[in-house]
Amino acid sequence: MDALQLLLNRHSNPRLNEPAPAGEQLETIFKAGLRAPDHAGLTPWEFIVFEGEQRQLLGDILANATAAKGNDAEAIEGARKAPLRAPMVITVVAKVTEHDKVPRLEQELSAGCALLSMQMAAQALGFNGIWRTGWFAFDRGVHSELGLKEQDQIVGFLYLGTPQKDLRKVTEHEIAPFVRYFGQ
Ligand SMILES: Cc1cc2nc3c(=O)[nH]c(=O)nc-3n(C[C@H](O)[C@H](O)[C@H](O)COP(=O)(O)O)c2cc1C
């Protein structure tokens, strides 16, 4: 797929079937993520993959966090089933380290770029998905069950699979409201 066409037509799709990317295609997706811009070469990334039955492990983690907040049984079961909405969920983590020239925000942005690059690589390969967060991404209980360190931050859950059908036309924004030519 032409690079500009890919950029101009990037879109999400929450309706995802099997198969998830695998083998060389999944490697290509990871390689795209690992080309994210990276100030000072800190490589502040981790991609935690849940596929097949392992998605239930993530479901249990989300359900435990929901229960810990005192939510009702319906909410807990909803959280447990959330990762089953796609055949693969990649939790993208910013592995933040102290650095005098690279603040936390830059490392989190780098991980976000990695997530976006992976979504776009997936789209180029005929897959698609959706970037989700929700409060789970910021919950210390979720972080701890995933084995994250205190300084780490989940930047998103990338749900990936094969689109059931291509859902809709992409939104095209007017350019002018978003651009300001300073001094003119
Ligand atoms: C940081 C971030 C977090 C997001 N979290 C969610 C989410 O939890 N649930 C959701 O439905 N969409 C979420 N979105 C939005 C979708 O990923 C998607 O961009 C949106 O549905 C618009 O669709 P489009 O990408 O096709 O334009 C999030 C986007 C970003 C950048």
Side-chain angles (χ1 to χ4, degrees), residues 10-14 85 119 129-134 155-156 168 170-171:
R10 184 213 62 81
H11 62 282
S12 309
N13 194 325
R85 291 175 288 179
Q119 185 193 21
I130 181 163
W131 179 345
R132 298 183 193 269
T133 49
V155 298
R168 58 193 158 100
V170 296
T171 311

Side-chain angles (χ1 to χ4, degrees), residues 148-161:
L148 305 191
K149 298 198 176 125
E150 205 183 320
Q151 65 270 25
D152 297 341
Q153 176 57 50
I154 295 171
V155 298
F157 302 98
L158 178 59
Y159 284 65
L160 281 183

